[in-house]
Amino acid sequence: MSAAAPVRIYVPIDAAALSVGAEAVARAVASEAAERGLAIEIVRNGTRGMLWLEPLVEVETAEGRIAYGPVAAEDVASLFAADFMAGGAHALRLGKTEELGWMKRQQRLTFERVGVIDPLSIADYRAHGGFRGLEKALRLSGAEIVAAIKASGLRGRGGAGFPTGIKWQTVHDARAEQKYIVCNADEGDSGTFADRMLFEGDPYLTIEGMAIAALAVGATRGYIYLRSEYPHAHRTLQRAILKAEAAGLIGASILDSGQAFHLEVRLGAGAYICGEETSLLESLEGKRAIVRAKPPLPALQGLFGKPTVVNNVLSFAAVPWILDHGAQAYADYGMGRSRGTLPVQLGGNVRRGGLIELAFGISLREIIEDMGGGTRSGRPIRAVQVGGPLGAYLTAEQLDVQMDYEALAAMRAMLGHGGIVVFDDSVDMARQARFAFAFCAKESCGKCTPCRIGATRGVEVMDRIIAGEERPKNIAVLRDLSKLMTDASLCAMGGLTPMPVLSALNHFPEDFDRPPLPLAAE
């Protein structure tokens, strides 16, 4: 009679879970099972994105995967005593993971495997549909792949929302002996973590997407430009690339096709400006990260002066699903010119923060109030910033806006990388406006005067307003300075800095007319 197969227990290795004790939980599970003589297999998966429940432990049972959380190391003994290996009742038992309200409501295309598989197992990735998109791409011409991406309606997920297929078409049509694929993984916006979650929970997805892009445009080399603040993602990516090369999935011959694609990871040094594609390219070339004037476009003269596809992680990660299921299947999600799904990252003063992947068109209010549960403090929502530190502040009355590129643009706001940060009614919006200028002054590459000098002058003007000095005159100067930065800055760093400033001023004017308070130390 053969011994029973070990029970699979999933304990996340995602950085968010590690930060709240997942490593200690994994050790406690292994120790308790050994003491009881129980056969288990611990799988270190990615996070499901329900960050308020981390560490979230899942057990594979005959009924399906049963979730328990948040689990602390000291809870493990009582879980085993409650027969959690068979899905037993316990105060931390949440039920089937896929049936939880947070998960059930989503349309997970890009994140369908994150939290489900062993991130570094190629067999696990394949068993859940991995590399099918790449295999289909190998049966198509480059032009056919580009046509599929254009038909899908996929737009850049890094902030600008530029149609991905048009960018690929430009690089495909360019004539050059060398072309490059560059993945912008310099995820620097406040409240964003989708790229990190993908790299730590499903690294082969981006690798596959970049390989498909290489086949589409005729590139043979690729680079992932990763922010240095992601050490766990870096280690996972490096191991995944080595494993993919050893399996012949990339390297000298993609799946024995005879077409080469060599991929490397390069770490940034922590400059926010490297999220801008030309500054990123300068850094990749070993130069100081300074924005380039455009034209020429990177698609024609990019890395080392060669035609280059530069896309965000989420853009490349959407590509395998499109190739596998078809362009129309992807375009069927979403609304208007915003097709497919958007991974939203919900943070700040919110009860249930984490990652939500939904089709474009859901309202901001549904995300924050229904899925996020409102503010963690229990106080009323006063402001919500969408799109990172350079995004607009929206009021509680504006939350019915649909998550869509054009709908937000019509409100003088932007979607950006999908980060949402919630503030309750204790926030001082004048100080938030000051922060936008201070952030720009610190992170500007310094190439253009409107950004370099304008942000510094902006901090000074805000200090005078907060101190109560000639407020009407200084507010007039603030508006004039904002117009100058918007119209004359070389890139979006200076051009978008006035967006949070003016939204704070226009929506919350009372905060710019409060009795003066001493400035907090910077």
Side-chain angles (χ1 to χ4, degrees), residues 379-430:
R379 298 172 66 101
I381 294 170
R382 184 160 190 243
V384 175
Q385 188 174 35
V386 182
L390 306 183
Y393 291 100
L394 303 180
T395 67
E397 291 72 35
Q398 294 177 302
L399 299 186
D400 292 312
V401 64
Q402 292 176 307
M403 296 297 282
D404 161 77
Y405 288 105
E406 281 66 43
L408 283 164
M411 300 178 69
R412 297 186 178 181
M414 68 176 187
L415 190 56
H417 189 46
I420 299 171
V421 180
V422 180
F423 299 84
D424 71 12
D425 63 355
S426 65
V427 68
D428 183 331
M429 297 307 297

